[in-house]
Amino acid sequence: MAGFLGEAHLWVKALHILAVIAWMAAFLYLPRLFVYHCRAETGSKQSETFKVMERRLLRGIMNPSMIVAWAAGLALMVNLEAWTDGWFHVKATAVVVLTVLHMMAARWRRDFAADANRHSERFFRVMNEVPALLMVVIVIMAVVRPF
Ligand code: HEM
């Protein structure tokens, strides 16, 4: 394999895929916790338990896996000069939207932690679908590379 990564390219790609699996797993779970948290009474034992689960999921899995997915992905991008490819333009756009949604989820988590959530259960049900749809677009672009 050419480029600055040389033979390590495939190891970095394996790390990249492992990191995105962890990132997506956390991303598909956190909004679901928010859906049920909306039903829990403020100050209740259940609500306090959801706060702990949301904080650990975000800080222990979602944030670190996003950082590793980005770092490994950018190394692969530079190694392949992927910015010249159409598939990568679409993928990069979907990944940026996913990352903005990640930041919003971190904000919603802080609101729940402060008992100041302003969104409905229905809002989080809809938000739960968005990462899944983006993931479908991203994986098709990364694997099929239609253009
Ligand atoms: C966070 C920023 C990201 C960047 C900069 C990035 C960049 C890249 C690049 C350049 C490749 C091509 C590697 C190669 O052909 O050897 C790649 C492969 C891949 N990416 Fe990403 N990616 C990112 C996020 C994601 C996300 C969020 C997902 C899934 C939801 C994903 C799934 C994949 C998959 C499955 C492959 C392997 C495709 C294959 O070889 O068939 N990536 N990524």
Side-chain angles (χ1 to χ4, degrees), residues 1 9-10 13 16-17 20-21 23-24 66-83 87-88 91-92 94-96 98-99 131 134-136 138-145:
M1 192 82 191
H9 183 93
L10 290 179
K13 185 152 82 171
H16 177 62
I17 295 173
V20 295
I21 290 171
W23 189 19
M24 291 306 107
M66 177 187 68
I67 292 165
V68 175
W70 266 103
L74 290 173
L76 295 169
M77 178 194 76
V78 171
N79 208 47
L80 292 175
E81 298 182 357
W83 52 79
W87 67 269
F88 187 76
K91 181 181 175 184
V95 168
V96 168
L98 199 63
T99 306
L134 289 168
M135 181 178 69
V136 170
I138 293 168
V139 171
I140 290 172
M141 287 303 133
V143 175
V144 181
R145 304 184 184 186

Side-chain angles (χ1 to χ4, degrees), residues 11-137:
W11 286 96
V12 174
K13 185 152 82 171
L15 176 67
H16 177 62
I17 295 173
L18 288 169
V20 295
I21 290 171
W23 189 19
M24 291 306 107
F27 223 145
L28 297 174
Y29 189 32
L30 188 59
R32 183 59 48 183
L33 288 177
F34 292 155
V35 167
Y36 296 119
H37 201 161
C38 285
R39 297 181 189 171
E41 215 175 300
T42 302
S44 66
K45 193 162 178 305
Q46 202 186 22
S47 175
E48 296 307 311
T49 304
F50 278 128
K51 291 180 186 177
V52 174
M53 293 170 74
E54 290 154 4
R55 187 180 68 243
R56 289 186 178 160
L57 183 62
L58 185 77
R59 294 186 180 164
I61 300 175
M62 211 162 143
N63 288 346
S65 58
M66 177 187 68
I67 292 165
V68 175
W70 266 103
L74 290 173
L76 295 169
M77 178 194 76
V78 171
N79 208 47
L80 292 175
E81 298 182 357
W83 52 79
T84 57
D85 301 333
W87 67 269
F88 187 76
H89 297 158
V90 176
K91 181 181 175 184
T93 307
V95 168
V96 168
V97 174
L98 199 63
T99 306
V100 170
L101 192 64
H102 179 122
M103 305 304 175
M104 290 164 71
R107 168 68 187 281
W108 298 327
R109 188 208 67 79
R110 282 198 301 277
D111 289 347
F112 272 111
D115 296 322
N117 170 49
R118 288 160 293 144
H119 296 291
S120 67
E121 186 180 326
R122 180 173 157 65
F123 172 83
F124 290 118
R125 282 185 188 285
V126 173
M127 279 306 140
N128 203 181
E129 305 309 323
V130 178
L133 294 173
L134 289 168
M135 181 178 69
V136 170
V137 172

